Amino acid sequence: MDKLTLDDIVDLRAYERERAAFRSRVIARKKLRRIPVGPVVTVLFENRDTIRFQLQEMARAERMLTDEAIQVELDTYNPLVPEPGRLAATLFIELTDETEMLRWLPELVGIERSVKLRIGDGDGAVVVRGAPEEAHAEHLTREEVTASVHYVFFELTPEQVDALDAGPVVLAVDHDRYLEATPLASETVASLVADLRS
């Protein structure tokens, strides 16, 4: 999947003309790719459209008008565009009030290293563990309290991609304070396989 360039991020007037249709398309895609795992964790498998949407919305909200400002954001977020054999995901710890934050954020330190895909079932199941993106991990990993957003990557061999395609697939978190798992729908798996084979 090609990385985004300056040419992909249109100016504000052009974006306003396409925004409604583009937003609807991205929201529909995110429904397949945004997976709740237990009560407070959600994992969004990113793709080129989700990242372009994020960048366009940031440029719109912050009135970014220069190529230099856009390029800084491209450099930051392009690693989240999937590559052959590599999925990128944003892990959200979704908390709505200060009491929940005070409870969960200290308990979930290290959660960015606790996400995995379980591919297949029984004794033949394969586990692909996610790993945090190192540049982001330097800013997001703390010893006493975790951040509410992390970036996680899954590296798969061609054989693991084939197994993923065959299913079943479960997205799981195996943190010692948070053990949760969610089976992935076949439509979600197909979307991820398309990214992995692009």
Side-chain angles (χ1 to χ4, degrees):
M1 191 170 289
D2 292 337
K3 300 295 183 180
L4 294 161
T5 68
L6 284 171
D7 291 338
D8 295 309
I9 309 303
V10 299
D11 67 35
L12 297 180
R13 286 179 60 228
Y15 183 56
E16 286 303 323
R17 288 191 291 270
E18 74 165 305
R19 184 173 183 251
F22 182 51
R23 185 173 183 271
S24 294
R25 188 172 82 231
V26 171
I27 288 170
R29 286 194 176 164
K30 280 186 175 184
K31 283 183 182 179
L32 285 178
R33 304 172 71 90
R34 190 176 180 95
I35 314 300
V37 186
V40 301
V41 171
T42 301
V43 174
L44 171 62
F45 287 98
E46 304 285 3
N47 69 8
R48 195 171 194 275
D49 279 346
T50 64
I51 297 303
R52 179 177 173 244
F53 178 69
Q54 182 169 336
L55 292 174
Q56 288 286 180
E57 289 293 309
M58 284 172 37
R60 179 179 186 263
E62 297 174 22
R63 310 290 297 169
M64 291 181 199
L65 301 175
T66 66
D67 286 351
E68 292 78 16
I70 300 292
Q71 189 62 55
V72 167
E73 301 305 329
L74 285 167
D75 293 343
T76 300
Y77 288 97
N78 252 335
L80 294 172
V81 176
E83 300 171 8
R86 186 179 200 225
L87 294 172
T90 304
L91 181 150
F92 299 95
I93 301 172
E94 299 195 285
L95 304 169
T96 57
D97 64 43
E98 189 173 345
T99 302
E100 288 184 328
M101 286 190 271
L102 291 171
R103 174 189 169 203
W104 283 106
L105 295 182
E107 284 189 26
L108 295 179
V109 169
I111 195 165
E112 69 276 15
R113 299 184 188 284
S114 304
V115 184
K116 63 185 181 182
L117 291 168
R118 191 169 54 242
I119 304 167
D121 50 14
D123 293 337
V126 174
V127 172
V128 177
R129 187 166 291 280
E133 201 270 328
E134 290 308 318
H136 288 112
E138 290 177 18
H139 302 289
L140 300 177
T141 300
R142 303 174 191 121
E143 291 183 23
E144 295 85 24
V145 63
T146 194
S148 58
V149 176
H150 293 278
Y151 303 105
V152 180
F153 295 84
F154 299 88
E155 304 278 349
L156 288 85
T157 66
E159 295 77 20
Q160 290 170 332
V161 174
D162 291 342
L164 185 83
D165 194 13
V169 182
V170 173
L171 178 63
V173 176
D174 64 357
H175 189 276
D176 61 352
R177 301 285 185 136
Y178 194 88
L179 299 170
E180 299 287 347
T182 302
L184 298 187
S186 58
E187 298 87 355
T188 299
V189 172
S191 181
L192 301 182
V193 169
D195 290 347
L196 288 161
R197 291 181 173 155
S198 65

